[in-house]
């Protein structure tokens, strides 16, 4: 693709037309499935039949896209206009087969090869948390084992659920079993609530993962949480997965399995911003359930988290260009 074509594609943004107008893509990015010459692609993964409780996250991508019209390209915290450093598209949604998780996993991992083959960083909007497994499978084929930063109220490291291995409560057990992760560089933040027993908590630590429960995160302070993440991950390639229920239900009511005592929206954004400097290879935000989100605060928060992800990519490219 020529430089001019790229420039045209990146002109579509919130200053080119009123933000309430037009067909909604993420941040009014051009909708395209031509991924050549791009830094990132935002995509939906509207699969929610891995959910064990309330379903509806299949409508997450469309809700996050819709409210993302509010987002402008300048990140005042990082002092960066993201489109000065990165170009990207809204790819649309990956193909899924509702109700058929194993088939969906195969289809998603296959379709995502497009991004891997073209060195495009995927930024995925779920879907329930089961969708992260095929993303990690696709990334493994290009990058090998990776570090993981996982924000969530839940560990998602159950071995199985009613005897079944693939649900939104098991993706990181499977990712570990399949050798997709570096366990000592896998860190989980924000866990809280009630458990089946003490053994539930060990399901992560027995695998070598680091867990910072919400209570601990508040006691040690978020700056120290950020420090631990950087110490653990170092310079390894890292995937970031953000389950919106890491945030308190007061800030993110539109999700399937709410637990009190989570991060405020302000704290969530601070944590994501604190990841700056890591070696990112992909991101997702999951578990947004628009039917339970009448004021759209949950999808708004998710869309801002996606913007912070894009800002992290922009900062990474900016630093690379400086050598
Ligand atoms: Mn989760
Ligand atoms: Mn969760």
């Amino acid at each position: 693709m020529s430089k001019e074509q790229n420039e045209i594609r990146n002109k579509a943004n919130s200053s080119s037309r009123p933000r309430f107008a037009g067909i909604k893509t993420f941040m009014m990015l051009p909708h395209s499935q031509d991924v050549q010459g791009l830094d990132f692609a935002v995509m939906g993964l509207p699969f929610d039949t891995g959910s064990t409780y309330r379903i509806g996250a299949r409508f997450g991508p469309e809700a996050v896209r819709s409210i993302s019209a509010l987002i402008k390209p300048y990140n005042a915290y990082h002092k960066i206009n993201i489109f000065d450093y990165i170009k990207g598209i809204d790819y649309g949604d990956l193909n899924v087969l509702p109700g058929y998780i194993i088939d969906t996993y195969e289809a998603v991992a296959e379709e995502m090869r497009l991004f891997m083959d073209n060195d495009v960083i995927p930024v995925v909007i779920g879907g329930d948390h089961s969708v992260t497994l095929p993303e990690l499978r696709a990334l493994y084929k290009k990058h090998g084992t990776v570090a993981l930063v996982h924000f969530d109220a839940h560990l998602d490291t159950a071995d199985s659920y009613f005897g079944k291995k693939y649900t939104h409560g098991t993706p990181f057990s499977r990712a570990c079993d399949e050798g997709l992760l570096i366990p000592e560089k896998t860190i989980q933040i924000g866990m809280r609530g009630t458990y089946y027993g003490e053994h539930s908590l060990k399901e992560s630590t027995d695998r070598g993962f680091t867990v910072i429960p919400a209570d601990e995160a508040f006691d040690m302070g978020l700056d120290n949480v950020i420090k631990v993440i950087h110490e653990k991950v170092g310079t390894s390639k890292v995937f970031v997965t953000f389950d919106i229920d890491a945030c308190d239900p007061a800030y993110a009511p539109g999700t399937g399995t709410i637990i009190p005592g989570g991060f405020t929206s302000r704290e969530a954004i601070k944590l994501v911003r604190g990841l700056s400097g890591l070696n990112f290879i992909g991101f997702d935000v999951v578990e947004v359930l628009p039917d339970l989100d009448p004021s759209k605060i949950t999808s708004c928060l998710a869309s801002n988290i996606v913007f912070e992800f894009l800002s992290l990519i922009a900062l990474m490219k900016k630093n690379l260009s400086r050598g």
Side-chain angles (χ1 to χ4, degrees), residues 282-304:
F283 300 85
D284 68 18
V285 61
V286 298
E287 300 281 356
V288 174
L289 210 159
D291 285 350
L292 299 171
D293 191 35
S295 63
K296 303 183 178 19
I297 56 174
T298 313
S299 53
C300 181
L301 175 55
S303 70
N304 277 271

Side-chain angles (χ1 to χ4, degrees), residues 26 38 48 83 107 118 149 168 199 243 251 253 271 296 305:
F26 190 80
L38 301 179
D48 65 5
F83 297 124
N118 288 281
V149 178
H168 74 158
H199 64 276
D243 184 329
Y251 297 87
L271 285 166
K296 303 183 178 19
I305 287 170

Side-chain angles (χ1 to χ4, degrees), residues 237-282:
K237 292 175 175 180
V238 64
F239 184 83
V240 180
T241 184
F242 200 108
D243 184 329
I244 203 69
D245 70 27
C247 300
D248 192 89
Y251 297 87
T255 190
T257 43
I258 50 171
I259 301 185
F263 301 116
T264 64
S265 48
R266 166 86 188 84
E267 289 161 347
I269 289 167
K270 178 185 168 74
L271 285 166
V272 174
R273 286 175 175 166
L275 303 179
S276 170
L278 298 179
N279 184 9
F280 304 103
I281 52 151

Side-chain angles (χ1 to χ4, degrees), residues 115-254:
F115 309 104
M116 308 301 120
D117 291 347
N118 288 281
D119 291 318
V120 176
I121 296 179
V123 181
V124 177
I125 305 165
D128 69 46
H129 221 156
S130 68
V131 304
T132 306
L133 182 59
E135 295 165 27
L136 291 170
R137 284 178 181 171
L139 288 160
Y140 175 79
K141 285 197 174 157
K142 180 171 181 74
H143 299 289
T145 54
V146 296
L148 179 75
V149 178
H150 170 205
F151 298 99
D152 204 322
H154 310 90
L155 292 158
D156 292 352
T157 46
D159 176 64
S160 55
Y161 190 70
F162 293 107
K164 296 298 178 188
K165 293 279 188 186
Y166 302 106
T167 78
H168 74 158
T170 61
F172 305 110
S173 303
R174 294 297 84 74
C176 190
D177 291 344
E178 294 176 23
L180 311 179
L181 300 174
I182 307 167
E184 65 273 21
K185 289 174 182 282
T186 293
I187 180 159
Q188 303 182 288
I189 303 115
M191 291 69 207
R192 60 191 190 269
T194 54
Y195 297 89
Y196 292 110
E198 206 178 347
H199 64 276
S200 301
L201 289 155
K202 289 189 180 152
E203 284 172 325
S204 280
T205 49
D206 283 354
R207 290 180 181 278
F209 298 176
T210 299
V211 181
I212 304 181
D215 287 335
E216 213 170 290
F218 292 122
D219 286 349
M220 66 197 276
L222 298 190
D223 288 322
N224 285 321
V225 173
I226 290 164
K227 216 170 129 191
V228 172
I229 294 170
H230 281 268
E231 280 166 9
K232 285 281 167 196
V233 173
T235 56
S236 295
K237 292 175 175 180
V238 64
F239 184 83
V240 180
T241 184
F242 200 108
D243 184 329
I244 203 69
D245 70 27
C247 300
D248 192 89
Y251 297 87

